[in-house]
Amino acid sequence: MKVAALFSGGKDSTFSVYRAMQQGRDVVCLIAMKSANTASYMFHVPNIDLVKLQSRAIGVPLIFRKTAGVKEEELKDLKLALIAAKKLYKIQGVVCGAIASEYQRFRVETVCADLGLKSLAPLWHLDADRYMSELVKEGFEIIISAVASDGFEPNWLGRKLDLQALEDMRKLRDKYGMHISGEGGEYETFVTDGPIFGKKIIIQKAEKVWKGDSGVYVIKKAKLASKGKK
């Protein structure tokens, strides 16, 4: 089956592409939505322009669209992007990285149903601890690109998501009740490498922007590099 993958550049959308490929899906394009609304209910915002570099690293073409990010109205923009994917790549289904959000999954399913496309959520209801450990063990290189939850401090921005970081997150979960996979919007991520990447991404320049009790790791310059090179 030819499928498009809703792609944000974060861990969940990237791992859903990986899972879809493992399941024999033919991922023929990525679809990214750039929202003007930083509080979008549907779409990831931090460093979204860098999905263009990730698309090249993975070797799958990208459909990149903008949306004002108005609640519910933004689904019309997503629908237009999927119509373009049907026309250009003859897709039959759509992969999304939803894990626990009924809001996101239901809306993606609704848009897909309108277009006669099958909605696929390969990460749906995975055990959070097992999923996060698998991400690291499968060789994905991930950094924290935004935080917005009690317990997080500026030093988390740009931090590599490794086994030690996961252990520290479990402590924050025990103390503050956060969702370890970030399903409540506690944090966002950016993937620089992984088993589906033909090349890796090197971050050359970035800035930590902290306001009140939340922050964003703004990547200002990055490049592609052959694996094994720095």
Side-chain angles (χ1 to χ4, degrees):
M1 177 189 290
K2 290 185 177 182
V3 299
L6 302 185
F7 192 72
S8 69
K11 61 178 176 56
D12 300 335
S13 65
T14 305
F15 200 69
S16 69
V17 172
Y18 178 58
R19 272 291 178 89
M21 290 177 173
Q22 285 183 317
Q23 293 167 358
R25 314 293 186 186
D26 183 10
V27 181
V28 294
C29 71
L30 308 176
I31 296 177
M33 304 296 295
K34 182 176 181 177
S35 177
N37 178 9
T38 57
S40 170
Y41 283 81
M42 282 294 296
F43 305 120
H44 176 103
V45 175
N47 301 302
I48 190 63
D49 285 298
L50 288 177
V51 294
K52 299 169 186 176
L53 201 60
Q54 290 169 310
S55 168
R56 290 168 54 198
I58 296 170
V60 175
L62 173 72
I63 293 176
F64 188 84
R65 295 287 188 271
K66 293 182 180 181
T67 177
V70 178
K71 189 176 180 181
E72 303 300 342
E73 290 294 313
E74 59 192 352
L75 296 177
K76 295 179 182 178
D77 298 314
L78 174 60
K79 189 173 184 178
L80 290 174
L82 291 178
I83 289 171
K86 282 190 71 174
K87 182 178 180 180
L88 291 170
Y89 300 105
K90 313 300 180 186
I91 64 168
Q92 300 157 292
V94 178
V95 174
C96 78
I99 298 175
S101 173
E102 294 281 0
Y103 180 93
Q104 290 181 340
R105 187 182 180 189
F106 174 76
R107 281 155 180 77
V108 171
E109 287 180 346
T110 299
V111 173
C112 286
D114 287 346
L115 297 176
L117 297 169
K118 186 172 183 179
S119 178
L120 304 166
L123 311 185
W124 188 245
H125 281 177
L126 287 182
D127 176 80
D129 277 281
R130 183 177 176 182
Y131 163 56
M132 295 298 291
S133 295
E134 188 176 353
L135 268 173
V136 175
K137 292 175 181 177
E138 288 291 329
F140 285 90
E141 297 283 339
I142 304 163
I143 62 167
I144 305 296
S145 59
V147 294
S149 178
D150 290 339
F152 283 119
E153 297 179 352
N155 63 347
W156 275 90
L157 296 175
R159 181 177 177 179
K160 182 178 179 179
L161 185 57
D162 54 16
L163 293 178
Q164 182 58 57
L166 290 182
E167 185 59 32
D168 291 342
M169 280 188 182
R170 291 186 181 99
K171 293 175 182 177
L172 294 182
R173 177 185 60 190
D174 293 343
K175 185 173 182 179
Y176 298 105
M178 63 165 283
H179 198 293
I180 194 170
S181 67
E183 274 294 286
E186 294 93 338
Y187 68 93
E188 304 283 0
T189 57
F190 180 80
V191 182
T192 59
D193 197 3
I196 59 174
F197 282 57
K199 292 186 177 181
K200 64 180 180 179
I201 295 173
I202 303 294
I203 296 172
Q204 298 170 292
K205 185 178 180 182
E207 178 185 2
K208 295 181 181 181
V209 178
W210 190 266
K211 294 182 180 179
D213 58 357
S214 63
V216 178
Y217 188 70
V218 181
I219 300 172
K220 295 189 171 183
K221 187 178 181 182
K223 68 175 183 179
L224 291 181
S226 298
K227 295 198 174 188
K229 292 185 179 181
K230 294 184 179 181

